[in-house]
Structure formats: structure tokens, C-alpha cells
Amino acid sequence: DSRGRVIEHNPMTGSTRMAGADGTSQTTTRLEDGSFRAVLVDGTEIVTAPNGSQVVTGPDGSSAETTVTGDGWVSRREDGTTVTSSTAGDGTTRVAYDYMAGAGGISSIARNPGDGTMQVVLGNSDTIDISVAEDGSITMAGPDFERTFEPGSGIAGRIQTALADDGSSTVSTASGTTSMVSADGSTMTVESSDGSTAIATKDSEGVTVDVDGVTYTYAFN
């Protein structure tokens, strides 16, 4: 074809071989049960069943399997982890993780698109609830914390971002530090909670930084 690939098909065996312009190749065979078996250039074998279930076998013999179920799928990974995804009639999707002994991480994730909520259960049984309000703000609540992200300002109680009428923006942190960037991005002013001030100005020659009255110049060349 126009990309330099050569494709051969054998209707007797149902086998298709594709050789790329870079020398790589892939062979695909249709099996008796309707599955497709693909062998990649590195020896990886992928068998995909008509219903979408798939088995991937690596050159070293390791394998991973994904089985399509009536309400989702089950994936068994090479490291022994099993991931199960299911979707209920109301659209709620739950993904559960079953790790090998001694391993940890996320135990399950449940998402409800109807009310914009999500619940994450960690391997230690801690639960994190995530919700989206009508104004677009996102609240995340865990065992010992709660954070709210406001689309127009940032994380409530931690970082606040404000955009002025002149196009400049100011970022304020809970520690009392503020950073202001001019509309054209040429000047940045940082004021720390202890009263120190740093002003960085960029022009065609370089950047000048003034820290509490002491000036530093950094030329581009």
C-alpha cells in the first residue's frame, strides 16, 4: 500500500500476514471457533474471541486474560491481579481489584454518572468519596481530610487563584504566600508570608530578579 506495507491473505487457512516497510511483521489467523489469533513481531500472541474476550501470551510464556461478562469484564493480569468491572442498570460502574497476597493499592472504584459521585476504597479499607456539584466544584473526602476544588479559584483552604480585570492572575496559598503574574507574562511578583518580596521581569535581553532590593540579572546569551 502507500505506506510500504505488504499484506498477504490465504483464504484456505484464513491467515493474513502483514509486513511493514520497517521490516516488522504480524500474522493473523482466523480459528475454527471464530476467534482471531495474532502473532506480533516479538512473538507475543493475542487471541481475541468473537465476544471480545482476549488472551495475551508473551514470548516468555506469561499470559494475561480478559473475559467479557454479561455486565462488564474480568481481567487477570500477569502479576496475579484480577480486575473486575461491572455496570448496573442505572449506569453505575464498579471496578474491583483483587491483588496477590502482600500487595496493596486500590480495592475498588464505584462511579455513578447519574449524581456525579465516585467512591474509591483502598486496600487498607480507607474510603475516599468524590462528588461533583452543579457549579462544577469537586469535593474529595477521606478518613481525615476534605478538599474542595473550585473551577474558578483552586483548592479551598489550600490554593486560591484569582484573575483580575487587567488579565493578571494571582495565586495565594494557605501559608500566606502570593504570586502575581502580569497579563503579558513578562513580570512575576512573589510575596512570602514573612514579608520578603521577589520581582522577576523578562525582556528581550534576559531576566532581572529583584529580591528585597538586591538585583540579579540573567542574560539570555
Side-chain angles (χ1 to χ4, degrees):
D1 60 16
S2 60
R3 288 183 287 180
R5 298 180 305 175
V6 177
I7 301 175
E8 299 176 342
H9 176 67
N10 187 331
M12 299 295 293
T13 62
S15 175
T16 300
R17 178 178 178 274
M18 182 190 72
D22 58 357
T24 59
S25 63
Q26 175 180 318
T27 302
T28 303
T29 305
R30 186 177 179 86
L31 306 180
E32 292 183 0
D33 63 358
S35 300
F36 283 93
R37 174 179 176 268
V39 180
L40 308 184
V41 64
D42 65 351
T44 298
E45 178 185 274
I46 304 173
V47 178
T48 305
N51 70 345
S53 297
Q54 191 174 79
V55 178
V56 179
T57 304
D60 59 356
S62 60
S63 65
E65 180 179 354
T66 300
T67 303
V68 176
T69 62
D71 59 358
W73 48 265
V74 177
S75 177
R76 297 173 179 83
R77 300 177 178 175
E78 297 178 8
D79 62 1
T81 301
T82 299
V83 184
T84 303
S85 176
S86 59
T87 302
D90 61 358
T92 301
T93 299
R94 182 177 185 273
V95 181
Y97 298 81
D98 184 11
Y99 299 95
M100 293 181 63
I106 295 175
S107 176
S108 66
I109 301 174
R111 181 178 64 88
N112 188 333
D115 58 12
T117 61
M118 179 182 295
Q119 185 179 77
V120 179
V121 180
L122 303 179
N124 61 1
S125 298
D126 285 348
T127 299
I128 299 175
D129 292 300
I130 304 170
S131 60
V132 181
E134 293 183 357
D135 62 358
S137 61
I138 301 173
T139 299
M140 179 182 295
D144 55 1
F145 72 91
E146 181 171 317
R147 299 284 185 272
T148 298
F149 176 80
E150 302 287 350
S153 59
I155 302 175
R158 291 289 178 175
I159 300 175
Q160 298 292 323
T161 303
L163 183 64
D165 293 338
D166 62 359
S168 62
S169 59
T170 301
V171 179
S172 305
T173 67
S175 64
T177 299
T178 61
S179 302
M180 186 181 72
V181 180
S182 62
D184 61 3
S186 64
T187 303
M188 180 176 183
T189 303
V190 179
E191 296 180 354
S192 65
S193 56
D194 61 5
S196 297
T197 301
I199 302 174
T201 304
K202 181 182 70 174
D203 56 25
S204 59
E205 300 296 328
V207 178
T208 300
V209 181
D210 184 291
V211 181
D212 292 335
V214 180
T215 302
Y216 304 87
T217 301
Y218 304 92
F220 289 142
N221 296 324

